[in-house]
Amino acid sequence: MAGEKKVFGFEEVAKHSVAKDCWLVIDGKVYDVTPFMDEHPGGDEVLLAVTGKDATSDFEDIGHSESAREMMEKYHIGVIDASTIPVKRTFVPPQQAAQSQAKDSDLLIKILQFLVPIMILGLAFGIRHYTKSE
């Protein structure tokens, strides 16, 4: 594919997320890896798992060989419009109120685990004492 590459919006690339039509975004480039799905050493599930997002970090984390990087060029169909890539979500910790509720119920359980056996033991001693005195 010599010449200019087409510019794709992220939503358009994200639509191609099935085994019969799979596009990936790696380093700002768009790849149509549909013909490569059956040949990928990690299986097609690996490729399908990174559709609909920027797969650059996933690709780099694996440590692909130089020959794998060269092979990518035949699947290169364009570039991604960087302004259309959604912002990464940041982790928002849950509110503290939910955590204190869990602590309260844990405390109640611990108290009951202590009191119930003592009550049973007291009841047993009371019954024994009552039955011996008669």
Side-chain angles (χ1 to χ4, degrees):
M1 289 191 170
E4 275 189 47
K5 298 288 184 182
K6 184 175 178 182
V7 178
F8 294 99
F10 188 79
E11 285 186 20
E12 183 179 354
V13 174
K15 291 177 186 175
H16 302 272
S17 61
V18 294
K20 301 284 184 202
D21 184 23
C22 184
W23 292 9
L24 301 178
V25 177
I26 300 172
D27 287 328
K29 298 177 181 177
V30 179
Y31 299 92
D32 181 358
V33 295
T34 307
F36 185 63
M37 296 295 281
D38 292 331
E39 301 169 27
H40 188 264
D44 61 351
E45 299 88 13
V46 175
L47 297 175
L48 291 172
V50 294
T51 60
K53 68 176 189 171
D54 184 351
T56 304
S57 61
D58 296 290
F59 180 81
E60 295 299 335
D61 288 347
I62 299 300
H64 286 88
S65 66
E66 195 59 39
S67 64
R69 293 174 189 277
E70 291 169 6
M71 184 186 300
M72 289 172 54
E73 286 309 309
K74 69 180 176 181
Y75 303 110
H76 183 209
I77 58 171
V79 294
I80 190 80
D81 180 359
S83 66
T84 63
I85 297 176
V87 179
K88 289 185 180 180
R89 295 181 186 165
T90 56
F91 175 72
V92 178
Q95 295 180 359
Q96 292 295 334
Q99 195 174 38
S100 66
Q101 270 184 337
K103 286 183 180 179
D104 290 344
S105 65
D106 287 346
L107 179 63
L108 179 64
I109 290 171
K110 288 182 180 181
I111 291 172
L112 288 175
Q113 286 177 337
F114 177 74
L115 288 180
V116 169
I118 289 179
M119 290 172 54
I120 292 171
L121 189 60
L123 183 64
F125 278 120
I127 292 172
R128 182 163 188 221
H129 177 70
Y130 179 73
T131 56
K132 264 191 171 182
S133 63
E134 290 184 0

